[in-house]
Amino acid sequence: LFASASRGYRPGGWNVRAVSPAAFASYAPETAWTYEGGVAGSAFGGRLSARVTGFLLDVTDMQGSGAAVIDGVPQFWAGTLADFRNQGVELELAAQPVDALHLYANLTAQNPRYRRTAAVDAQIALCAGGTGPATACGIGAVTADGELAEPAFAPDLTAGFGARYSLPIPSAGIILTPGVDFSWQGRSQTDIANLGASAPAHLLMDAAIAIETDDYGWLLTLSCRNCLDEDAGETSLLGWSYPVTPRSWMLVARRRF
């Protein structure tokens, strides 16, 4: 069994990247409390291990930054978004059925949400009425339609799993190790104020094969990132979506002395 509680703090400041008076504003300090607790254990001589963790994050005056068109000028902003709460559970599993094979899997379910404050309610009212300043809509935790935004980059569900297998080949004096990793995440917003399109649920795959001499002197690794060439949005700026890094390959040779 384990449990922990920690407090975090970030000082307030000013939007130093503003280029118009409407965007030049101060923001409050941010404080956060993080609570975690769970249980971990192993079985079969350590060949199977598991860990379950529950967590709660409470943030007061959460800070954020982004880009928006303010007074007709595209520019960056920084400021207080809203209060924020995220709670969920993580499951981590690792298994070694045989000496050469290593497996792992993890799953995270969470419920990230902004919490309305008096300042957010006032901003929403100004946006809905159309009488507020240019910074009332589509900025901070308020969408262009005057709704409370969904937290960005925080899917409700993520998962990952992978495997490694080490295959000694004594006749060649090498150890062959192929491996694969999959990561999946549910739909998520890619802009703080939800201005861009949300990223749909998607699956990414990375893989590698390594050849190492059995004296561990030489190592040659061929790997690919995003091997399936998944075209999913990762972030957005001023309504433009930026995809994840496309499929790429890397060949690395290493000599140990």
Side-chain angles (χ1 to χ4, degrees), residues 39-151:
V39 60
S42 61
F44 307 111
R47 288 189 178 273
L48 177 65
S49 61
R51 179 185 179 102
V52 180
T53 305
F55 62 87
L56 171 64
L57 171 63
D58 253 327
V59 183
T60 301
D61 293 327
M62 185 177 191
Q63 297 172 8
S65 61
V69 177
I70 303 173
D71 289 343
V73 180
Q75 57 186 294
F76 292 100
W77 57 265
T80 298
L81 303 178
D83 289 350
F84 175 81
R85 169 171 285 187
N86 189 14
Q87 53 193 342
V89 62
E90 297 175 343
L91 171 64
E92 301 169 84
L93 298 172
Q96 189 179 3
V98 295
D99 290 345
L101 179 61
H102 296 263
L103 306 170
Y104 77 89
N106 55 67
L107 176 69
T108 300
Q110 59 181 0
N111 184 34
R113 295 292 182 267
Y114 289 126
R115 305 174 70 186
R116 294 177 68 148
T117 63
V120 172
D121 286 340
Q123 183 181 347
I124 289 175
L126 287 172
C127 178
T131 59
T135 53
C137 299
I139 192 169
V142 178
T143 68
D145 296 328
E147 302 291 337
L148 187 66
E150 295 180 34

Side-chain angles (χ1 to χ4, degrees), residues 191-253:
D191 181 86
I192 296 292
N194 302 170
L195 297 180
S198 61
H202 59 273
L203 177 71
L204 299 180
M205 170 186 166
D206 298 336
I209 184 167
I211 302 174
E212 188 171 25
T213 56
D214 54 14
D215 63 358
Y216 305 106
W218 283 95
L219 176 65
L220 182 68
T221 304
L222 175 65
S223 61
C224 68
R225 300 292 303 273
N226 190 9
C227 305
L228 302 178
D229 204 22
E230 179 71 26
D231 183 17
E234 184 175 44
T235 186
S236 58
L237 182 69
L238 295 173
W240 292 89
S241 180
Y242 292 81
V244 297
T245 303
R247 179 170 51 216
S248 61
W249 295 88
M250 179 179 292
L251 180 65
V252 177

